[in-house]
Amino acid sequence: LILPTNNTNTSNSTLSFSFNATDDLESTLNCSLFIDDIYNQSNSSTNNATTTIFSSVPVPEGSQNWSVTCTDSVGNQGNSSVLNFVVDQTAPTVKLISPANLTNTSNTTISLSFNATDNLFTTTNCSLFVNDVYNQSNSSTTNATTTIFALSSLSDGSYNWTVQCTDNAGNRANASDSFGVDAPRIFTIDNTAPVVTLNSPGTSSPTTWYLYYNFSFNFSVVDNLSTVMSCDLYIDDVLN
């Protein structure tokens, strides 16, 4: 047996099977193709010691095997070895797990977790993309298991991330949402505290006030990323 070689993985549903049959006397042989031990087709005029092809053979998805049996004119039969192959036309399903979309954090190290599920293979090759740029891969991502890509020393800012996985037959898929739409997520690293400036009353304001005198505290706040912040007023170190 020549092609496909043993343990071939392919996404093609139509295959060609090539082999070579050699006999010590006869110029032609009657050879038959078997897929999963079931007869598929024959070539009754297979040339001796010549590569022969059973072409355009439709095969279903799944793990299968193939072999060839050849018989000469006096009934002597020779059987080939049995080779395995896998046909897979279904891409993995990739789901992002955490962090949730639009997560905000002050941690400069973050773990990005996902799950890749394939219909046939036990491992897939998965790659992380951050801000649409390749970041890292795990070529042996375990099927249907939560897997983590870790990022560290991140600068302040917003990031988008997604994961792309390819199975052993070359079927590729990006992470998608429950509707099957590509679904990158966004997270924000903010490790810089806002700057708060007290405007009034200032240090030059009167220090003696009548009991129950009502007045306003005016301040301004600037942050490197956030446009809206939560602020608390403290008077004499007590939350007001």
Side-chain angles (χ1 to χ4, degrees):
L1 303 184
I2 301 174
L3 290 174
T5 58
N6 195 35
N7 296 323
T8 289
N9 299 312
T10 180
S11 60
N12 296 321
S13 61
T14 302
L15 298 180
S16 293
F17 297 86
S18 63
F19 66 98
N20 185 300
T22 303
D23 190 78
D24 59 343
L25 292 175
E26 306 205 13
S27 60
T28 61
L29 302 166
N30 184 6
C31 295
S32 299
L33 170 67
F34 290 80
I35 296 179
D36 283 341
D37 304 318
I38 298 173
Y39 170 81
N40 183 272
Q41 58 183 284
S42 292
N43 182 340
S44 60
S45 56
T46 302
N47 291 324
N48 186 30
T50 303
T51 297
T52 304
I53 298 175
F54 290 114
S55 60
S56 302
V57 180
V59 287
E61 276 196 308
S63 299
Q64 298 162 76
N65 65 65
W66 72 288
S67 60
V68 173
T69 296
C70 293
T71 306
D72 62 22
S73 62
V74 296
N76 298 306
Q77 181 174 291
N79 299 317
S80 72
S81 58
V82 177
L83 301 185
N84 299 305
F85 65 95
V86 172
V87 175
D88 182 8
Q89 292 186 300
T90 305
T93 299
V94 187
K95 300 295 183 183
L96 305 182
I97 299 175
S98 68
N101 195 32
L102 303 179
T103 289
N104 297 312
T105 179
S106 61
N107 294 324
T108 59
T109 297
I110 193 166
S111 294
L112 309 176
S113 64
F114 68 98
N115 182 299
T117 302
D118 192 74
N119 62 325
L120 290 175
F121 297 106
T122 58
T123 61
T124 54
N125 184 2
C126 295
S127 299
L128 170 67
F129 290 81
V130 178
N131 290 342
D132 304 317
V133 177
Y134 168 81
N135 183 272
Q136 57 184 287
S137 290
N138 182 340
S139 61
S140 56
T141 302
T142 303
N143 189 37
T145 302
T146 298
T147 304
I148 294 175
F149 286 120
L151 299 177
S152 61
S153 302
L154 293 171
S155 302
D156 282 6
S158 293
Y159 300 82
N160 69 65
W161 69 285
T162 191
V163 174
Q164 182 184 87
C165 295
T166 306
D167 65 22
N168 293 340
N171 301 299
R172 179 178 299 170
N174 295 319
S176 61
D177 59 21
S178 57
F179 300 101
V181 178
D182 288 356
R185 288 187 179 181
I186 296 172
F187 65 89
T188 299
I189 303 294
D190 187 357
N191 202 37
T192 303
V195 176
V196 182
T197 302
L198 303 182
N199 299 322
S200 66
T203 56
S204 59
S205 299
T207 57
T208 302
W209 302 92
Y210 292 103
L211 189 63
Y212 305 123
Y213 188 88
N214 294 322
F215 59 96
S216 298
F217 294 88
N218 181 276
F219 69 97
S220 59
V221 58
V222 177
D223 190 75
N224 63 323
L225 292 175
S226 300
T227 58
V228 177
M229 286 153 281
S230 175
C231 299
D232 297 314
L233 172 65
Y234 286 81
I235 297 176
D236 287 338
D237 301 320
V238 178
L239 176 65
N240 183 267

